[in-house]
């Protein structure tokens, strides 16, 4: 029984889906909208995008289940947002850099990170945060908005290494646009004209704060005018539309026309269908029917219907893809859970030289391991 009067969840987002002014390519039935064109993607590339979306959805479901079983730490679900994450990464070239948040699991995988690595760091192993030599994706950022000026700095560094052919794509949520880092990052990116693409994944909720309480402006994208950069608002549940606007922004960042500014602010309009994290209960702050008009905007079903319409996908191929997805996730989970490390490594790199207090803690840990063995710690973890 609760010991206090719980507030009634009365908030309701005022957003509608899809926004009238957002770029769209696909209707919800999977047909091209009047005047829209399919992006320059081959049939094979479209199938790869679809498989990446299916994989993302299943990873989300499996990761949530693993967290509930105590096999990984707190997890940030992404259901409904997979289309924007996958499509933005598909628009990047291998040499481009991705600067993600804690929710961008699919974006990281689509740019080359393995799901095994993502599960490893969610299990508490710092090795999972390492940046592989062959994948240009930084570890996820937990503090809100801090990655925006850092992405700008990364791109600025590239411009000082002329010639270069790399762009930097930075993800953040609508809550990050209330931080000083957002404004500083965009301002400097514009002033120094660096090759950046800023993607605001506007999922309508910054934990329990609805978009309407986040900003007094109608949109996020209109803030681009204040910094003198191009702004584009796109339907984030339409993978082909997100790909098209992001690819154009990447091309402009690396090869601007004479007098054209390199940075772009993309507002990708989506809805967070699930909780902010597995430590969160959204029913405490939003109504049950909030966001119900976004349910029909499922990015996976939208692209799937298009592929069926075009004869690119059929039932047999869909089954093959589903089987590959399950095999991929089973392998990733097995390998991540087989990861072993020396627990004393947690004391490394805290300071250049260990303090007396750290040495005492390390000695205490060594004593416990000697008396009880490492298996005792595993039993506590279970």
């Amino acid at each position: 029984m609760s010991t206090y009067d719980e507030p009634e969840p009365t908030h309701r987002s005022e957003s509608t889906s899809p926004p009238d002014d957002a770029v769209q390519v696909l209707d919800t039935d999977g047909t091209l909208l009047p005047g829209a064109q399919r992006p320059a993607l081959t049939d094979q590339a479209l199938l790869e995008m679809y498989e990446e979306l299916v994989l993302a959805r299943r990873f989300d479901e499996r990761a949530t289940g693993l967290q509930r079983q105590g096999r990984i730490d707190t997890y940030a679900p992404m259901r409904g947002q997979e289309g924007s994450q996958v499509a933005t990464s598909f628009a990047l070239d291998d040499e481009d850099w991705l600067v993600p948040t804690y929710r961008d699991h699919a974006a990281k995988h689509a740019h080359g990170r393995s799901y095994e690595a993502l599960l490893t760091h969610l299990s508490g192993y710092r090795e999972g945060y390492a940046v592989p030599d062959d994948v240009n994706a930084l570890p996820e950022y937990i503090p809100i908005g801090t990655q925006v000026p850092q992405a700008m700095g990364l791109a600025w560094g590239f411009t000082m290494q002329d010639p270069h052919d790399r762009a930097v794509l930075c993800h953040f949520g609508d809550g990050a646009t209330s931080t000083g880092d957002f404004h500083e990052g965009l301002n400097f990116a514009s002033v120094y004209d660096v090759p950046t693409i800023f993607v605001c994944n506007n999922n309508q909720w910054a934990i329990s704060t609805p978009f309407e309480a986040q900003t007094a402006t109608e949109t996020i994208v209109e803030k681009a005018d204040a910094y003198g950069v191009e702004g584009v608002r796109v339907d984030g549940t339409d993978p082909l539309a997100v790909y098209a606007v992001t690819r154009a922004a990447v091309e402009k960042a690396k090869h601007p026309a004479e007098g054209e500014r390199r940075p772009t602010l993309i507002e990708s309009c989506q809805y967070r269908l699930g909780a902010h994290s597995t430590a969160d209960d959204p029913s405490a702050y939003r109504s049950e029917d909030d966001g119900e008009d976004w349910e029909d905007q499922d990015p996976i079903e939208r692209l799937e219907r298009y592929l069926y319409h075009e004869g690119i996908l059929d039932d047999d191929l869909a089954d093959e893809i589903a089987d590959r997805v399950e095999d991929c996730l089973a392998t990733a989970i097995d390998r991540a859970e087989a990861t072993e490390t020396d627990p004393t490594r947690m004391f490394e790199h805290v300071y250049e030289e260990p303090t007396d207090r750290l040495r005492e803690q390390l000695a205490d840990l060594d004593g416990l391991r000697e008396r009880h063995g490492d298996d005792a710690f595993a039993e506590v973890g279970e």
Side-chain angles (χ1 to χ4, degrees):
M1 175 181 293
S2 174
T3 57
Y4 61 94
D5 294 329
E6 295 180 350
E8 290 293 329
T10 57
H11 291 300
R12 178 178 171 80
S13 171
E14 297 176 7
S15 65
T16 58
S17 169
D20 294 335
D21 58 347
V23 176
Q24 290 182 299
V25 170
L26 290 178
D27 204 341
T28 54
D29 65 2
T31 57
L32 289 174
L33 288 162
Q37 294 184 339
R38 167 177 160 175
L41 290 166
T42 65
D43 288 356
Q44 182 59 35
L46 288 172
L47 284 172
E48 291 172 0
M49 180 183 286
Y50 170 72
E51 183 165 341
E52 195 69 38
L53 287 169
V54 176
L55 180 58
R57 177 65 55 84
R58 284 294 293 140
F59 174 80
D60 203 50
E61 294 167 348
R62 293 296 304 273
T64 301
L66 292 173
Q67 193 281 329
R68 296 307 188 203
Q69 296 169 35
R71 294 160 67 181
I72 63 172
D73 299 329
T74 304
Y75 174 74
M78 56 182 174
R79 179 170 171 262
Q81 302 184 220
E82 305 94 333
S84 183
Q85 291 193 26
V86 169
T88 49
S89 284
F90 260 68
L92 293 176
D93 297 313
D94 290 344
E95 65 270 19
D96 299 329
W97 278 83
L98 174 67
V99 182
T101 72
Y102 48 79
R103 200 183 303 282
D104 298 313
H105 321 290
K108 285 183 281 188
H109 186 269
H111 197 51
R113 295 303 308 270
S114 70
Y115 274 128
E116 172 191 340
L118 301 183
L119 287 170
T120 300
H121 83 68
L122 287 170
S123 301
Y125 294 100
R126 72 179 190 187
E127 289 80 358
Y129 279 107
V131 179
D133 292 336
D134 57 346
V135 180
N136 291 344
L138 292 181
E140 62 195 46
Y141 283 72
I142 303 297
I144 304 301
T146 54
Q147 72 275 26
V148 180
Q150 293 182 20
M152 172 271 156
L154 184 63
W156 190 20
F158 292 146
T159 63
M160 298 173 74
Q161 298 172 2
D162 192 48
H164 72 91
D165 191 25
R166 286 169 291 188
V168 177
L169 187 146
C170 176
H171 283 283
F172 51 89
D174 40 301
T177 64
S178 296
T179 68
D181 282 337
F182 165 78
H183 301 283
E184 293 163 8
L186 262 72
N187 189 60
F188 276 106
S190 175
V191 168
Y192 292 108
D193 195 28
V194 297
T196 42
I197 303 96
F198 299 101
V199 179
C200 175
N201 295 293
N202 182 0
N203 67 11
Q204 315 302 322
W205 289 92
I207 309 183
S208 58
T209 302
F211 178 73
E212 291 73 25
Q214 194 67 244
T215 177
T217 59
E218 292 291 326
T219 69
I220 293 295
V221 73
E222 63 194 81
K223 298 176 189 291
D225 289 340
Y227 304 108
V229 301
E230 181 184 2
V232 183
R233 202 174 196 216
V234 64
D235 181 348
T237 65
D238 181 344
L240 298 191
V242 174
Y243 174 85
V245 301
T246 309
R247 186 62 201 171
V250 171
E251 292 286 351
K252 178 166 66 73
K254 296 196 283 190
H255 309 291
E258 185 174 352
E260 192 173 39
R261 308 293 293 173
R262 294 174 183 268
T264 303
L265 171 62
I266 297 173
E267 180 183 2
S268 182
C269 300
Q270 322 155 19
Y271 190 81
R272 195 190 78 210
L273 294 173
H276 172 72
S277 77
T278 49
D280 170 52
D281 175 13
S283 68
Y285 54 79
R286 69 185 185 194
S287 305
E288 289 186 4
D289 58 350
D290 187 77
E292 61 183 8
D293 49 349
W294 288 86
E295 292 283 352
D296 295 333
Q297 307 294 319
D298 189 293
I300 301 176
E301 294 179 2
R302 204 165 178 172
L303 181 58
E304 185 178 74
R305 289 168 183 152
Y306 173 72
L307 297 178
Y308 270 96
H309 281 314
E310 296 296 311
I312 300 172
L313 182 68
D314 57 31
D315 290 347
D316 290 339
L317 186 52
D319 288 342
E320 289 179 22
I321 290 172
D323 289 342
R324 280 202 299 271
V325 163
E326 295 304 320
D327 289 344
C328 173
L329 290 177
T331 300
I333 293 170
D334 287 346
R335 290 178 175 173
E337 294 193 324
T339 301
E340 294 183 358
T341 190
D342 184 345
T344 61
R345 294 193 65 187
M346 75 175 83
F347 295 95
E348 298 176 0
H349 308 300
V350 180
Y351 298 102
E352 184 174 0
E353 294 292 335
T355 63
D356 291 342
R357 180 61 180 150
L358 276 180
R359 291 192 182 92
E360 291 174 6
Q361 292 175 351
L362 177 58
D364 288 344
L365 177 61
D366 287 341
L368 288 169
R369 295 176 71 191
E370 184 175 344
R371 286 197 299 275
H372 303 289
D374 285 347
D375 289 345
F377 293 92
E379 291 173 2
V380 171
E382 293 171 354

